[in-house]
Amino acid sequence: MKNLRIAIQKTGRLSEKSLEILKEAGISLNNGSRKLRSEARSFPLEVIYVRDDDIPRYVEDGVADIGIVGENEYAEKECDVELVERLGFSRCRLSLAIPRSETYRGLEDLMDRRIATSYPVILGKYLAEHGIRADVHVISGSVEIAPSIGLADAIFDIVSSGSTLISNGLKEVETVMQSEAVIIAGRNLGDDLRRLLKDLLFRIRSVLAASNNKYILLNAPNKNLKEIISVIPGMKSPTVMPLAVEGWSSVHSVLSEKEFWAVIDRLQELGAQGILVIPIEKMIL
Ligand code: PRT
Ligand code: ZN
């Protein structure tokens, strides 16, 4: 049977996390990313290590069956591939920025101005949607220095913490898209490869669900038990066991990371004590 071939970034911001998520899904590789190719031991998977820019095209052409890439590259390359899962890491945004000293009233201020970017497709679509005509300069790196060397009036680039913009005297004026690492897949995988992809996604989703949730244990006064249960409904419903001491129960449940602090506050208001929160390794939904 054929192996499922996945393209991941050789070196860069996506590499480490891409390997990590495979590892957490129980897929260990025979060698590190120093090679061009490696084979998994415990799953019929083969990894090729490439530049992130090439991943959408490789998946479209069938050089790889699937790939892990930034959503920004997926959107920019406009390849005919399918986005099958969002992975939640390497989050960033694509934004327009101008020199800090300039005033900004709205997009019209960019009319007929020069904008430097490595993402002309995404920028072009956005400007067209908003009826803005601009002079887009495509450069492949160090976009942030373009205004200070007189090459452009504005830039359109990836922003994460925002410190690159600040240290180059720029300010973010419009956020055009949010991005995170995603899995893309070819549209013409045969049945066998589709099945392998399904297995792989099942494992990855279990890992993602686990990292987005915590196991919670607490002691609840029986008089507030109903309300406490409604605050932490869990996957089906919480486990409730009587404590040796009269009037109290032990409650076990699962809690999503997003609502974590709000829920903890509410539980304390309801008299919960001895709250323990434990990481979950895998979560099968
Ligand atoms: O060599 P190869 O072509 O494979 O790698 P690359 O250099 O093109 O890509 P790489 O490794 O830099 O980024 C890979 C992907 O990571 C991107 O396509 C994004 O999806 C994602 N990502 C997440 C980022 C950032 N955060 C990020 N901060 N990509 C780039 N940056 C850069 C940005 O270009 C800017 O120069 O970091 C700077 C901004 O960061 P802040 O924190 O100062 O705002
Ligand atoms: Zn790249």
PDB file of all heavy atoms in Angstrom, residues 9-15 50-53 69-73 90-93 119 144 157-165 179-181, ligand 1:
ATOM      1  N   GLN A   9       7.518  22.277   6.365  1.00  0.00           N
ATOM      2  CA  GLN A   9       8.594  23.250   6.154  1.00  0.00           C
ATOM      3  C   GLN A   9       9.913  22.693   6.688  1.00  0.00           C
ATOM      4  O   GLN A   9       9.964  22.167   7.799  1.00  0.00           O
ATOM      5  CB  GLN A   9       8.238  24.557   6.873  1.00  0.00           C
ATOM      6  CG  GLN A   9       9.171  25.693   6.494  1.00  0.00           C
ATOM      7  CD  GLN A   9       8.941  26.939   7.345  1.00  0.00           C
ATOM      8  OE1 GLN A   9       8.454  26.853   8.461  1.00  0.00           O
ATOM      9  NE2 GLN A   9       9.310  28.087   6.809  1.00  0.00           N
ATOM     10  N   LYS A  10      10.963  22.861   5.894  1.00  0.00           N
ATOM     11  CA  LYS A  10      12.266  22.302   6.290  1.00  0.00           C
ATOM     12  C   LYS A  10      12.826  23.029   7.512  1.00  0.00           C
ATOM     13  O   LYS A  10      13.094  22.417   8.533  1.00  0.00           O
ATOM     14  CB  LYS A  10      13.230  22.396   5.108  1.00  0.00           C
ATOM     15  CG  LYS A  10      14.569  21.746   5.366  1.00  0.00           C
ATOM     16  CD  LYS A  10      15.339  21.611   4.063  1.00  0.00           C
ATOM     17  CE  LYS A  10      16.803  21.267   4.265  1.00  0.00           C
ATOM     18  NZ  LYS A  10      17.018  20.075   5.075  1.00  0.00           N
ATOM     19  N   THR A  11      13.000  24.353   7.378  1.00  0.00           N
ATOM     20  CA  THR A  11      13.423  25.134   8.552  1.00  0.00           C
ATOM     21  C   THR A  11      12.665  26.437   8.559  1.00  0.00           C
ATOM     22  O   THR A  11      12.556  27.097   7.524  1.00  0.00           O
ATOM     23  CB  THR A  11      14.933  25.474   8.530  1.00  0.00           C
ATOM     24  OG1 THR A  11      15.287  25.761   7.183  1.00  0.00           O
ATOM     25  CG2 THR A  11      15.781  24.365   9.080  1.00  0.00           C
ATOM     26  N   GLY A  12      12.166  26.808   9.700  1.00  0.00           N
ATOM     27  CA  GLY A  12      11.429  28.057   9.812  1.00  0.00           C
ATOM     28  C   GLY A  12      10.420  27.982  10.921  1.00  0.00           C
ATOM     29  O   GLY A  12      10.446  27.057  11.734  1.00  0.00           O
ATOM     30  N   ARG A  13       9.520  28.930  10.915  1.00  0.00           N
ATOM     31  CA  ARG A  13       8.576  29.062  12.022  1.00  0.00           C
ATOM     32  C   ARG A  13       7.568  27.926  12.139  1.00  0.00           C
ATOM     33  O   ARG A  13       6.943  27.781  13.163  1.00  0.00           O
ATOM     34  CB  ARG A  13       7.807  30.375  11.864  1.00  0.00           C
ATOM     35  CG  ARG A  13       8.644  31.583  12.144  1.00  0.00           C
ATOM     36  CD  ARG A  13       7.786  32.827  12.050  1.00  0.00           C
ATOM     37  NE  ARG A  13       8.432  33.939  12.689  1.00  0.00           N
ATOM     38  CZ  ARG A  13       9.273  34.762  12.084  1.00  0.00           C
ATOM     39  NH1 ARG A  13       9.572  34.573  10.814  1.00  0.00           N
ATOM     40  NH2 ARG A  13       9.826  35.752  12.753  1.00  0.00           N
ATOM     41  N   LEU A  14       7.389  27.158  11.051  1.00  0.00           N
ATOM     42  CA  LEU A  14       6.380  26.098  11.120  1.00  0.00           C
ATOM     43  C   LEU A  14       6.981  24.728  11.443  1.00  0.00           C
ATOM     44  O   LEU A  14       6.271  23.823  11.866  1.00  0.00           O
ATOM     45  CB  LEU A  14       5.663  25.982   9.762  1.00  0.00           C
ATOM     46  CG  LEU A  14       4.883  27.196   9.285  1.00  0.00           C
ATOM     47  CD1 LEU A  14       4.601  27.076   7.785  1.00  0.00           C
ATOM     48  CD2 LEU A  14       3.570  27.310  10.042  1.00  0.00           C
ATOM     49  N   SER A  15       8.293  24.594  11.227  1.00  0.00           N
ATOM     50  CA  SER A  15       8.919  23.269  11.234  1.00  0.00           C
ATOM     51  C   SER A  15       8.724  22.509  12.540  1.00  0.00           C
ATOM     52  O   SER A  15       8.227  21.384  12.551  1.00  0.00           O
ATOM     53  CB  SER A  15      10.419  23.369  10.987  1.00  0.00           C
ATOM     54  OG  SER A  15      10.681  24.343  10.060  1.00  0.00           O
ATOM     55  N   VAL A  50      10.470  20.821   2.792  1.00  0.00           N
ATOM     56  CA  VAL A  50      10.595  21.777   1.683  1.00  0.00           C
ATOM     57  C   VAL A  50      10.410  23.213   2.184  1.00  0.00           C
ATOM     58  O   VAL A  50      10.113  23.443   3.354  1.00  0.00           O
ATOM     59  CB  VAL A  50       9.538  21.468   0.584  1.00  0.00           C
ATOM     60  CG1 VAL A  50       9.749  20.087  -0.008  1.00  0.00           C
ATOM     61  CG2 VAL A  50       8.123  21.574   1.146  1.00  0.00           C
ATOM     62  N   ARG A  51      10.537  24.186   1.299  1.00  0.00           N
ATOM     63  CA  ARG A  51      10.256  25.584   1.664  1.00  0.00           C
ATOM     64  C   ARG A  51       8.743  25.773   1.750  1.00  0.00           C
ATOM     65  O   ARG A  51       7.992  25.218   0.947  1.00  0.00           O
ATOM     66  CB  ARG A  51      10.821  26.530   0.606  1.00  0.00           C
ATOM     67  CG  ARG A  51      12.330  26.619   0.674  1.00  0.00           C
ATOM     68  CD  ARG A  51      12.792  27.888  -0.004  1.00  0.00           C
ATOM     69  NE  ARG A  51      12.134  29.056   0.569  1.00  0.00           N
ATOM     70  CZ  ARG A  51      12.117  30.262  -0.001  1.00  0.00           C
ATOM     71  NH1 ARG A  51      12.697  30.453  -1.155  1.00  0.00           N
ATOM     72  NH2 ARG A  51      11.503  31.256   0.581  1.00  0.00           N
ATOM     73  N   ASP A  52       8.314  26.575   2.689  1.00  0.00           N
ATOM     74  CA  ASP A  52       6.863  26.723   2.891  1.00  0.00           C
ATOM     75  C   ASP A  52       6.142  27.248   1.645  1.00  0.00           C
ATOM     76  O   ASP A  52       5.043  26.821   1.334  1.00  0.00           O
ATOM     77  CB  ASP A  52       6.552  27.598   4.123  1.00  0.00           C
ATOM     78  CG  ASP A  52       6.919  29.048   3.923  1.00  0.00           C
ATOM     79  OD1 ASP A  52       7.747  29.347   3.033  1.00  0.00           O
ATOM     80  OD2 ASP A  52       6.371  29.889   4.651  1.00  0.00           O
ATOM     81  N   ASP A  53       6.821  28.148   0.900  1.00  0.00           N
ATOM     82  CA  ASP A  53       6.204  28.733  -0.306  1.00  0.00           C
ATOM     83  C   ASP A  53       5.834  27.670  -1.342  1.00  0.00           C
ATOM     84  O   ASP A  53       4.936  27.862  -2.149  1.00  0.00           O
ATOM     85  CB  ASP A  53       7.169  29.697  -1.014  1.00  0.00           C
ATOM     86  CG  ASP A  53       7.847  30.641  -0.059  1.00  0.00           C
ATOM     87  OD1 ASP A  53       8.510  30.162   0.890  1.00  0.00           O
ATOM     88  OD2 ASP A  53       7.697  31.841  -0.246  1.00  0.00           O
ATOM     89  N   VAL A  69       0.998  24.188   6.216  1.00  0.00           N
ATOM     90  CA  VAL A  69       1.454  25.481   5.703  1.00  0.00           C
ATOM     91  C   VAL A  69       0.687  26.610   6.387  1.00  0.00           C
ATOM     92  O   VAL A  69      -0.402  26.379   6.921  1.00  0.00           O
ATOM     93  CB  VAL A  69       1.259  25.479   4.151  1.00  0.00           C
ATOM     94  CG1 VAL A  69      -0.202  25.553   3.761  1.00  0.00           C
ATOM     95  CG2 VAL A  69       2.034  26.596   3.502  1.00  0.00           C
ATOM     96  N   GLY A  70       1.258  27.811   6.388  1.00  0.00           N
ATOM     97  CA  GLY A  70       0.532  28.964   6.912  1.00  0.00           C
ATOM     98  C   GLY A  70      -0.648  29.268   6.002  1.00  0.00           C
ATOM     99  O   GLY A  70      -0.529  29.174   4.775  1.00  0.00           O
ATOM    100  N   GLU A  71      -1.764  29.632   6.617  1.00  0.00           N
ATOM    101  CA  GLU A  71      -2.963  29.950   5.834  1.00  0.00           C
ATOM    102  C   GLU A  71      -2.680  31.092   4.853  1.00  0.00           C
ATOM    103  O   GLU A  71      -3.270  31.149   3.770  1.00  0.00           O
ATOM    104  CB  GLU A  71      -4.055  30.377   6.813  1.00  0.00           C
ATOM    105  CG  GLU A  71      -5.441  30.155   6.328  1.00  0.00           C
ATOM    106  CD  GLU A  71      -6.438  30.456   7.438  1.00  0.00           C
ATOM    107  OE1 GLU A  71      -6.055  30.445   8.632  1.00  0.00           O
ATOM    108  OE2 GLU A  71      -7.589  30.734   7.106  1.00  0.00           O
ATOM    109  N   ASN A  72      -1.761  31.977   5.212  1.00  0.00           N
ATOM    110  CA  ASN A  72      -1.391  33.082   4.334  1.00  0.00           C
ATOM    111  C   ASN A  72      -0.802  32.567   3.020  1.00  0.00           C
ATOM    112  O   ASN A  72      -1.131  33.068   1.952  1.00  0.00           O
ATOM    113  CB  ASN A  72      -0.414  34.032   5.043  1.00  0.00           C
ATOM    114  CG  ASN A  72       0.752  33.314   5.711  1.00  0.00           C
ATOM    115  OD1 ASN A  72       0.552  32.410   6.519  1.00  0.00           O
ATOM    116  ND2 ASN A  72       1.963  33.687   5.368  1.00  0.00           N
ATOM    117  N   GLU A  73       0.052  31.535   3.111  1.00  0.00           N
ATOM    118  CA  GLU A  73       0.638  30.969   1.873  1.00  0.00           C
ATOM    119  C   GLU A  73      -0.434  30.257   1.053  1.00  0.00           C
ATOM    120  O   GLU A  73      -0.454  30.327  -0.167  1.00  0.00           O
ATOM    121  CB  GLU A  73       1.765  29.979   2.187  1.00  0.00           C
ATOM    122  CG  GLU A  73       3.058  30.617   2.642  1.00  0.00           C
ATOM    123  CD  GLU A  73       3.669  31.559   1.603  1.00  0.00           C
ATOM    124  OE1 GLU A  73       3.456  31.363   0.393  1.00  0.00           O
ATOM    125  OE2 GLU A  73       4.347  32.507   2.029  1.00  0.00           O
ATOM    126  N   SER A  90       1.449  28.958  15.049  1.00  0.00           N
ATOM    127  CA  SER A  90       1.982  29.967  14.110  1.00  0.00           C
ATOM    128  C   SER A  90       0.914  30.986  13.722  1.00  0.00           C
ATOM    129  O   SER A  90       0.767  31.338  12.552  1.00  0.00           O
ATOM    130  CB  SER A  90       2.563  29.321  12.856  1.00  0.00           C
ATOM    131  OG  SER A  90       3.646  28.501  13.182  1.00  0.00           O
ATOM    132  N   ARG A  91       0.193  31.443  14.711  1.00  0.00           N
ATOM    133  CA  ARG A  91      -0.829  32.448  14.443  1.00  0.00           C
ATOM    134  C   ARG A  91      -0.178  33.787  14.128  1.00  0.00           C
ATOM    135  O   ARG A  91       0.812  34.169  14.749  1.00  0.00           O
ATOM    136  CB  ARG A  91      -1.716  32.636  15.684  1.00  0.00           C
ATOM    137  CG  ARG A  91      -2.695  31.524  15.883  1.00  0.00           C
ATOM    138  CD  ARG A  91      -3.604  31.868  17.053  1.00  0.00           C
ATOM    139  NE  ARG A  91      -4.364  30.715  17.461  1.00  0.00           N
ATOM    140  CZ  ARG A  91      -5.492  30.320  16.879  1.00  0.00           C
ATOM    141  NH1 ARG A  91      -5.985  31.011  15.854  1.00  0.00           N
ATOM    142  NH2 ARG A  91      -6.114  29.251  17.307  1.00  0.00           N
ATOM    143  N   CYS A  92      -0.735  34.483  13.158  1.00  0.00           N
ATOM    144  CA  CYS A  92      -0.265  35.816  12.819  1.00  0.00           C
ATOM    145  C   CYS A  92      -1.369  36.494  12.020  1.00  0.00           C
ATOM    146  O   CYS A  92      -2.424  35.905  11.813  1.00  0.00           O
ATOM    147  CB  CYS A  92       1.026  35.751  11.998  1.00  0.00           C
ATOM    148  SG  CYS A  92       0.897  34.783  10.483  1.00  0.00           S
ATOM    149  N   ARG A  93      -1.135  37.735  11.620  1.00  0.00           N
ATOM    150  CA  ARG A  93      -2.127  38.417  10.788  1.00  0.00           C
ATOM    151  C   ARG A  93      -1.402  39.118   9.645  1.00  0.00           C
ATOM    152  O   ARG A  93      -0.207  39.382   9.741  1.00  0.00           O
ATOM    153  CB  ARG A  93      -2.958  39.391  11.628  1.00  0.00           C
ATOM    154  CG  ARG A  93      -2.152  40.378  12.419  1.00  0.00           C
ATOM    155  CD  ARG A  93      -3.039  41.069  13.475  1.00  0.00           C
ATOM    156  NE  ARG A  93      -2.331  42.171  14.110  1.00  0.00           N
ATOM    157  CZ  ARG A  93      -1.522  42.050  15.153  1.00  0.00           C
ATOM    158  NH1 ARG A  93      -1.307  40.872  15.697  1.00  0.00           N
ATOM    159  NH2 ARG A  93      -0.905  43.109  15.665  1.00  0.00           N
ATOM    160  N   TYR A 119       2.922  39.569  -0.545  1.00  0.00           N
ATOM    161  CA  TYR A 119       1.609  38.913  -0.721  1.00  0.00           C
ATOM    162  C   TYR A 119       0.708  39.707  -1.668  1.00  0.00           C
ATOM    163  O   TYR A 119      -0.349  40.196  -1.284  1.00  0.00           O
ATOM    164  CB  TYR A 119       0.932  38.728   0.652  1.00  0.00           C
ATOM    165  CG  TYR A 119       1.705  37.762   1.513  1.00  0.00           C
ATOM    166  CD1 TYR A 119       2.663  38.213   2.410  1.00  0.00           C
ATOM    167  CD2 TYR A 119       1.516  36.393   1.375  1.00  0.00           C
ATOM    168  CE1 TYR A 119       3.414  37.322   3.163  1.00  0.00           C
ATOM    169  CE2 TYR A 119       2.261  35.494   2.116  1.00  0.00           C
ATOM    170  CZ  TYR A 119       3.200  35.964   3.008  1.00  0.00           C
ATOM    171  OH  TYR A 119       3.938  35.066   3.734  1.00  0.00           O
ATOM    172  N   GLU A 144       9.498  45.405   5.658  1.00  0.00           N
ATOM    173  CA  GLU A 144       9.313  46.482   6.640  1.00  0.00           C
ATOM    174  C   GLU A 144      10.266  47.664   6.458  1.00  0.00           C
ATOM    175  O   GLU A 144      10.011  48.746   6.963  1.00  0.00           O
ATOM    176  CB  GLU A 144       9.419  45.932   8.069  1.00  0.00           C
ATOM    177  CG  GLU A 144      10.753  45.343   8.484  1.00  0.00           C
ATOM    178  CD  GLU A 144      10.983  43.905   8.003  1.00  0.00           C
ATOM    179  OE1 GLU A 144      10.083  43.325   7.356  1.00  0.00           O
ATOM    180  OE2 GLU A 144      12.079  43.370   8.259  1.00  0.00           O
ATOM    181  N   ASP A 157       2.192  43.244   5.271  1.00  0.00           N
ATOM    182  CA  ASP A 157       3.074  42.143   5.681  1.00  0.00           C
ATOM    183  C   ASP A 157       2.490  41.386   6.872  1.00  0.00           C
ATOM    184  O   ASP A 157       1.468  41.783   7.450  1.00  0.00           O
ATOM    185  CB  ASP A 157       4.447  42.716   6.065  1.00  0.00           C
ATOM    186  CG  ASP A 157       5.558  41.661   6.043  1.00  0.00           C
ATOM    187  OD1 ASP A 157       5.324  40.540   5.557  1.00  0.00           O
ATOM    188  OD2 ASP A 157       6.665  41.977   6.521  1.00  0.00           O
ATOM    189  N   ILE A 158       3.199  40.319   7.229  1.00  0.00           N
ATOM    190  CA  ILE A 158       2.813  39.513   8.392  1.00  0.00           C
ATOM    191  C   ILE A 158       3.167  40.264   9.675  1.00  0.00           C
ATOM    192  O   ILE A 158       4.253  40.820   9.792  1.00  0.00           O
ATOM    193  CB  ILE A 158       3.563  38.166   8.367  1.00  0.00           C
ATOM    194  CG1 ILE A 158       3.114  37.343   7.163  1.00  0.00           C
ATOM    195  CG2 ILE A 158       3.367  37.404   9.662  1.00  0.00           C
ATOM    196  CD1 ILE A 158       3.853  36.040   6.992  1.00  0.00           C
ATOM    197  N   VAL A 159       2.243  40.264  10.607  1.00  0.00           N
ATOM    198  CA  VAL A 159       2.479  40.870  11.917  1.00  0.00           C
ATOM    199  C   VAL A 159       2.147  39.816  12.968  1.00  0.00           C
ATOM    200  O   VAL A 159       1.151  39.109  12.867  1.00  0.00           O
ATOM    201  CB  VAL A 159       1.567  42.105  12.138  1.00  0.00           C
ATOM    202  CG1 VAL A 159       1.853  42.742  13.497  1.00  0.00           C
ATOM    203  CG2 VAL A 159       1.749  43.124  11.019  1.00  0.00           C
ATOM    204  N   SER A 160       3.007  39.745  13.969  1.00  0.00           N
ATOM    205  CA  SER A 160       2.699  38.820  15.054  1.00  0.00           C
ATOM    206  C   SER A 160       2.638  39.620  16.352  1.00  0.00           C
ATOM    207  O   SER A 160       1.577  40.017  16.802  1.00  0.00           O
ATOM    208  CB  SER A 160       3.757  37.716  15.058  1.00  0.00           C
ATOM    209  OG  SER A 160       3.619  36.928  16.175  1.00  0.00           O
ATOM    210  N   SER A 161       3.793  39.930  16.949  1.00  0.00           N
ATOM    211  CA  SER A 161       3.751  40.733  18.176  1.00  0.00           C
ATOM    212  C   SER A 161       3.601  42.222  17.841  1.00  0.00           C
ATOM    213  O   SER A 161       3.174  43.012  18.666  1.00  0.00           O
ATOM    214  CB  SER A 161       5.047  40.537  18.960  1.00  0.00           C
ATOM    215  OG  SER A 161       6.126  41.028  18.192  1.00  0.00           O
ATOM    216  N   GLY A 162       3.995  42.612  16.636  1.00  0.00           N
ATOM    217  CA  GLY A 162       3.953  44.025  16.241  1.00  0.00           C
ATOM    218  C   GLY A 162       5.282  44.732  16.469  1.00  0.00           C
ATOM    219  O   GLY A 162       5.456  45.890  16.090  1.00  0.00           O
ATOM    220  N   SER A 163       6.264  44.044  17.058  1.00  0.00           N
ATOM    221  CA  SER A 163       7.506  44.753  17.395  1.00  0.00           C
ATOM    222  C   SER A 163       8.343  45.097  16.160  1.00  0.00           C
ATOM    223  O   SER A 163       9.044  46.109  16.161  1.00  0.00           O
ATOM    224  CB  SER A 163       8.318  43.982  18.430  1.00  0.00           C
ATOM    225  OG  SER A 163       8.628  42.722  17.923  1.00  0.00           O
ATOM    226  N   THR A 164       8.252  44.303  15.108  1.00  0.00           N
ATOM    227  CA  THR A 164       8.990  44.644  13.878  1.00  0.00           C
ATOM    228  C   THR A 164       8.480  45.969  13.304  1.00  0.00           C
ATOM    229  O   THR A 164       9.259  46.824  12.882  1.00  0.00           O
ATOM    230  CB  THR A 164       8.842  43.517  12.828  1.00  0.00           C
ATOM    231  OG1 THR A 164       9.338  42.318  13.397  1.00  0.00           O
ATOM    232  CG2 THR A 164       9.587  43.819  11.552  1.00  0.00           C
ATOM    233  N   LEU A 165       7.162  46.144  13.330  1.00  0.00           N
ATOM    234  CA  LEU A 165       6.594  47.404  12.829  1.00  0.00           C
ATOM    235  C   LEU A 165       7.113  48.570  13.673  1.00  0.00           C
ATOM    236  O   LEU A 165       7.600  49.569  13.137  1.00  0.00           O
ATOM    237  CB  LEU A 165       5.062  47.375  12.891  1.00  0.00           C
ATOM    238  CG  LEU A 165       4.349  46.409  11.946  1.00  0.00           C
ATOM    239  CD1 LEU A 165       2.835  46.579  12.061  1.00  0.00           C
ATOM    240  CD2 LEU A 165       4.798  46.643  10.494  1.00  0.00           C
ATOM    241  N   SER A 179      -4.168  34.453  10.251  1.00  0.00           N
ATOM    242  CA  SER A 179      -3.614  33.206   9.712  1.00  0.00           C
ATOM    243  C   SER A 179      -3.137  32.287  10.828  1.00  0.00           C
ATOM    244  O   SER A 179      -2.791  32.754  11.908  1.00  0.00           O
ATOM    245  CB  SER A 179      -2.446  33.552   8.776  1.00  0.00           C
ATOM    246  OG  SER A 179      -1.800  32.388   8.324  1.00  0.00           O
ATOM    247  N   GLU A 180      -3.150  31.000  10.545  1.00  0.00           N
ATOM    248  CA  GLU A 180      -2.589  30.000  11.452  1.00  0.00           C
ATOM    249  C   GLU A 180      -2.131  28.836  10.572  1.00  0.00           C
ATOM    250  O   GLU A 180      -2.460  28.798   9.383  1.00  0.00           O
ATOM    251  CB  GLU A 180      -3.647  29.529  12.464  1.00  0.00           C
ATOM    252  CG  GLU A 180      -4.806  28.796  11.837  1.00  0.00           C
ATOM    253  CD  GLU A 180      -5.956  28.538  12.832  1.00  0.00           C
ATOM    254  OE1 GLU A 180      -5.819  27.624  13.651  1.00  0.00           O
ATOM    255  OE2 GLU A 180      -6.976  29.248  12.762  1.00  0.00           O
ATOM    256  N   ALA A 181      -1.394  27.918  11.161  1.00  0.00           N
ATOM    257  CA  ALA A 181      -0.977  26.757  10.369  1.00  0.00           C
ATOM    258  C   ALA A 181      -2.202  25.909  10.039  1.00  0.00           C
ATOM    259  O   ALA A 181      -3.097  25.750  10.870  1.00  0.00           O
ATOM    260  CB  ALA A 181       0.033  25.934  11.156  1.00  0.00           C
TER     261      ALA A 181
HETATM  262  O1  PRT B   1      12.450  29.346   4.108  1.00  0.00           O
HETATM  263  P1  PRT B   1      10.974  29.327   3.985  1.00  0.00           P
HETATM  264  O2  PRT B   1      10.469  29.962   2.732  1.00  0.00           O
HETATM  265  O3  PRT B   1      10.428  27.934   4.226  1.00  0.00           O
HETATM  266  O4  PRT B   1      10.419  30.170   5.237  1.00  0.00           O
HETATM  267  P2  PRT B   1       9.921  31.688   5.327  1.00  0.00           P
HETATM  268  O5  PRT B   1      11.064  32.504   5.794  1.00  0.00           O
HETATM  269  O6  PRT B   1       9.192  32.101   4.111  1.00  0.00           O
HETATM  270  O7  PRT B   1       8.803  31.566   6.444  1.00  0.00           O
HETATM  271  P3  PRT B   1       8.871  31.691   8.036  1.00  0.00           P
HETATM  272  O8  PRT B   1       9.498  30.468   8.614  1.00  0.00           O
HETATM  273  O9  PRT B   1       9.404  33.008   8.451  1.00  0.00           O
HETATM  274  O10 PRT B   1       7.303  31.714   8.338  1.00  0.00           O
HETATM  275  C1  PRT B   1       6.501  30.629   8.032  1.00  0.00           C
HETATM  276  C2  PRT B   1       5.062  30.970   8.373  1.00  0.00           C
HETATM  277  O11 PRT B   1       4.954  31.279   9.773  1.00  0.00           O
HETATM  278  C3  PRT B   1       4.484  32.201   7.707  1.00  0.00           C
HETATM  279  O12 PRT B   1       4.048  31.939   6.392  1.00  0.00           O
HETATM  280  C4  PRT B   1       3.325  32.538   8.630  1.00  0.00           C
HETATM  281  O13 PRT B   1       2.202  31.734   8.314  1.00  0.00           O
HETATM  282  C5  PRT B   1       3.827  32.096  10.002  1.00  0.00           C
HETATM  283  N1  PRT B   1       4.229  33.218  10.900  1.00  0.00           N
HETATM  284  C6  PRT B   1       3.762  33.395  12.163  1.00  0.00           C
HETATM  285  C7  PRT B   1       5.100  34.211  10.640  1.00  0.00           C
HETATM  286  C8  PRT B   1       5.160  35.029  11.777  1.00  0.00           C
HETATM  287  N2  PRT B   1       4.322  34.497  12.714  1.00  0.00           N
HETATM  288  C9  PRT B   1       6.023  36.202  11.777  1.00  0.00           C
HETATM  289  N3  PRT B   1       6.063  36.912  12.771  1.00  0.00           N
HETATM  290  N4  PRT B   1       5.853  34.510   9.544  1.00  0.00           N
HETATM  291  C10 PRT B   1       6.653  35.574   9.560  1.00  0.00           C
HETATM  292  N5  PRT B   1       6.765  36.436  10.607  1.00  0.00           N
HETATM  293  C11 PRT B   1       7.721  37.595  10.429  1.00  0.00           C
HETATM  294  C12 PRT B   1       7.114  38.723   9.559  1.00  0.00           C
HETATM  295  O14 PRT B   1       7.417  38.528   8.208  1.00  0.00           O
HETATM  296  C13 PRT B   1       7.749  39.987  10.105  1.00  0.00           C
HETATM  297  O15 PRT B   1       9.006  40.214   9.498  1.00  0.00           O
HETATM  298  O16 PRT B   1       8.036  38.202  11.644  1.00  0.00           O
HETATM  299  C14 PRT B   1       7.996  39.633  11.545  1.00  0.00           C
HETATM  300  C15 PRT B   1       6.855  40.184  12.360  1.00  0.00           C
HETATM  301  O17 PRT B   1       6.859  39.666  13.647  1.00  0.00           O
HETATM  302  P4  PRT B   1       6.510  40.577  14.913  1.00  0.00           P
HETATM  303  O18 PRT B   1       6.376  39.613  16.048  1.00  0.00           O
HETATM  304  O19 PRT B   1       7.659  41.524  15.115  1.00  0.00           O
HETATM  305  O20 PRT B   1       5.218  41.309  14.619  1.00  0.00           O
END
